[in-house]
Amino acid sequence: MSGVRSNSLKTTNAGVRDLGLAKEGLGLIDWAAREMPVLLLIRDRFREQRPLSGLRVSACLHVTSETANLMITLKAGGADVVLCASNPLSTNDAVAAALSAEHGIPTFAIKGEDNETYYSHIASALENRPNFTMDDGADLVTMLHRERTELLGEVTGGTEETTTGVVRLRSMAKQGVLKYPIVAVNEALTKHMFDNRYGTGQSTLDGIIRATNVLLAGKVFVVAGYGWCGRGLASRARGMGSQVVVTEVDPLRALEAVMDGFQVMPMAEAARVGDIFVTVTGDVNVLDRAHFEAMKDGVILANSGHFNSEINLAAMDDLASSVQAVRGMVQEYRLEDGRRLHVIGEGRLVNLAAAEGHPAAVMDMSFANQALAAEWMVANSGRLEPQVYDVPKDLDAEVARLKLAAMDVAIDSLTPEQEHYINSWEEGT
Ligand code: ADE
């Protein structure tokens, strides 16, 4: 960790590593935009219609070139936007600099920031006195509800990007502590079926390969968790020639993994045979002390779930006789008997810590949902309860339609006869 601190955090430029990186960041933002046609269409409409006029947005997202394009779109729609990181290791410093210095979007994010700085950056984003929040993992919403309750009265709505955040928000809503309505962008089909599956699938392998340059072909690749992210990861790892093992706690998902052709077994068994382990469960200590004790020499461990709680690093520290960095993103834990276990990116989201996150083409759909959900919430402000809402189906369908059009893919439509048939029950064999 660099431990870089930002002291005066309320000014536009205080929360980034180096404003001198802004030009490089502009190039990265522009490069991503080329693969984000749906978001760009929405941006053009927002620029004309200004549906977010006067909206003060505090966003807590991975600070990537794709996120930058979302922030620029919100601003085009009339919003006053500030951004902070949703993970200490996921920031692209050049993008953060470009947003602050070139786009007038105050950004508080430094790759490698320590936990204290991470939370101080969220606090800085809340200084915008938001009436709208955009979160990825619910850390900003949590701070707002715990430490800045005096701001809650002005907040009319928010969105949440990821599975883990939605789980936390649903728990808040169930306990009656959630104070304003939030749209679970993750639940849109055009989000999780593509971002979680193809985005996580590809970018997780990208992170592992960039960090280690390991050959995946012929390796036993253990995927913990067979949700949308796990499904994508398992299929991509198989595509690279790995023998894929899936571990699960949910019988339905486990059955699906079996029928998809993967070996399914408990982690206690997988620990003995795996070469590469990736956790994507959203839970804690999925790789634990007993598993480390059973692992082979030279294994690679990574996490692609939202929080760095899936690999029990404290237990690894305890077991290890030495810990050293052996490559930029790889820590080697050497056990008493000489076995070496390698952890990528401190157990944080490997695709963002060691690579660049999901490709822009898939974030296009996720962030189109974000922009449309924000517009929908503003239009429905005052009519919504402090609950977790799904993205309205018509918005989801609109994102799919626009994406297909941008990809130049045409599809059929029902004939009047088919339309009638599908809506009636009278006709049988
Ligand atoms: N989450 C995963 N990949 C991402 C990306 N490229 N930008 C923002 N959030 C992400």
Side-chain angles (χ1 to χ4, degrees):
M1 293 260 189
S2 72
V4 176
R5 295 294 170 82
S6 39
N7 298 319
S8 128
L9 297 171
K10 285 181 194 157
T11 63
T12 304
N13 300 330
V16 304
R17 181 179 297 284
D18 178 3
L19 288 173
L21 298 170
K23 279 270 167 311
E24 182 192 335
L26 282 182
L28 296 174
I29 295 168
D30 180 53
W31 177 253
R34 297 172 197 203
E35 288 269 67
M36 304 184 86
V38 179
L39 189 65
L40 294 191
L41 270 179
I42 295 170
R43 185 184 298 173
D44 287 344
R45 181 170 65 74
F46 274 18
R47 200 170 277 126
E48 268 175 34
Q49 299 176 350
R50 308 279 288 175
L52 309 182
S53 247
L55 195 69
R56 291 190 307 279
V57 180
S58 294
C60 179
L61 300 167
H62 300 297
V63 180
T64 65
S65 49
E66 293 78 23
T67 298
N69 277 291
L70 173 61
M71 296 299 103
I72 294 163
T73 301
L74 301 179
K75 194 172 174 194
D80 161 9
V81 189
V82 303
L83 173 66
C84 66
S86 61
N87 184 293
L89 277 189
S90 63
T91 296
N92 183 310
D93 288 318
V95 168
L99 280 174
S100 268
E102 303 283 341
H103 284 285
I105 296 175
T107 300
F108 302 93
I110 297 170
K111 187 170 176 105
E113 62 196 11
D114 59 19
N115 271 3
E116 195 190 328
T117 310
Y118 171 72
Y119 284 110
S120 78
H121 280 164
I122 297 179
S124 298
L126 288 175
E127 289 300 321
N128 201 33
R129 304 187 67 81
N131 39 36
F132 196 89
T133 63
M134 204 167 257
D135 217 342
D136 185 333
D139 277 351
L140 180 135
V141 171
T142 304
M143 184 181 283
L144 190 52
H145 281 73
R146 279 197 185 130
E147 295 170 34
R148 299 301 307 273
T149 48
E150 81 284 4
L151 297 177
L152 280 166
E154 290 181 50
V155 187
T156 56
T159 58
E160 169 54 51
E161 169 76 4
T162 202
T163 316
T164 295
V166 173
V167 169
R168 293 177 87 185
L169 294 173
R170 286 203 205 289
S171 156
M172 288 174 79
K174 199 165 161 199
Q175 288 175 24
V177 296
L178 185 65
K179 294 293 182 220
Y180 59 92
I182 299 194
V183 171
V185 167
N186 185 70
E187 305 308 276
L189 298 178
T190 48
K191 198 278 182 181
H192 66 255
M193 280 176 64
F194 302 90
D195 169 316
N196 300 26
R197 180 164 44 173
Y198 304 116
T200 305
Q202 176 170 319
S203 62
T204 299
L205 294 191
D206 186 14
I208 294 169
I209 293 168
R210 287 196 207 193
T212 62
N213 200 25
V214 71
L215 182 72
L216 298 178
K219 296 287 194 305
V220 177
F221 193 110
V222 180
V223 177
Y226 205 64
W228 285 100
C229 295
R231 290 179 184 111
L233 179 56
S235 96
R236 267 48 194 157
R238 172 158 65 191
M240 293 294 280
S242 291
Q243 286 176 52
V244 178
V245 170
V246 171
T247 71
E248 245 305 337
V249 292
D250 178 303
L252 202 74
R253 287 181 174 181
L255 188 59
E256 185 184 359
V258 172
M259 300 250 175
D260 284 345
F262 299 111
Q263 259 190 291
V264 175
M265 61 182 77
M267 186 58 89
E269 276 175 46
R272 290 202 298 269
V273 295
D275 299 302
I276 301 167
F277 295 80
V278 185
T279 52
V280 262
T281 70
D283 219 321
V284 293
N285 299 340
V286 177
L287 288 177
D288 214 342
R289 190 180 185 103
H291 305 132
F292 307 137
E293 283 171 339
M295 284 175 181
K296 300 190 289 192
D297 177 37
V299 295
I300 291 169
L301 314 181
N303 166 52
S304 212
H306 186 79
F307 286 120
N308 58 336
S309 53
E310 303 205 20
I311 304 175
N312 187 347
L313 289 178
M316 282 193 76
D317 256 327
D318 198 41
L319 280 174
S321 54
S322 68
V323 183
Q324 60 164 338
V326 287
R327 281 171 68 98
M329 274 286 157
V330 185
Q331 295 284 115
E332 177 189 277
Y333 290 73
R334 189 178 281 266
L335 308 190
E336 295 291 351
D337 62 7
R339 276 177 300 141
R340 294 155 301 173
L341 316 184
H342 302 114
V343 178
I344 306 179
E346 303 164 15
R348 297 197 188 271
L349 278 162
V350 65
N351 58 341
L352 282 144
E356 294 172 70
H358 303 348
V362 85
M363 294 313 295
D364 187 27
M365 289 191 279
S366 310
F367 286 165
N369 275 295
Q370 284 281 7
L372 294 180
E375 182 183 32
W376 178 80
M377 287 210 102
V378 168
N380 286 281
S381 173
R383 286 197 281 270
L384 304 171
E385 301 294 319
Q387 294 294 339
V388 180
Y389 286 84
D390 282 348
V391 173
K393 289 220 173 328
D394 55 328
L395 300 190
D396 207 354
E398 174 72 355
V399 173
R401 198 183 61 72
L402 291 173
K403 190 70 178 175
L404 281 172
M407 294 167 84
D408 217 8
V409 177
I411 61 170
D412 290 325
S413 48
L414 295 174
T415 64
E417 180 195 27
Q418 290 170 331
E419 183 83 48
H420 173 75
Y421 180 87
I422 211 77
N423 287 309
S424 59
W425 57 271
E426 291 88 349
E427 278 184 60
T429 309

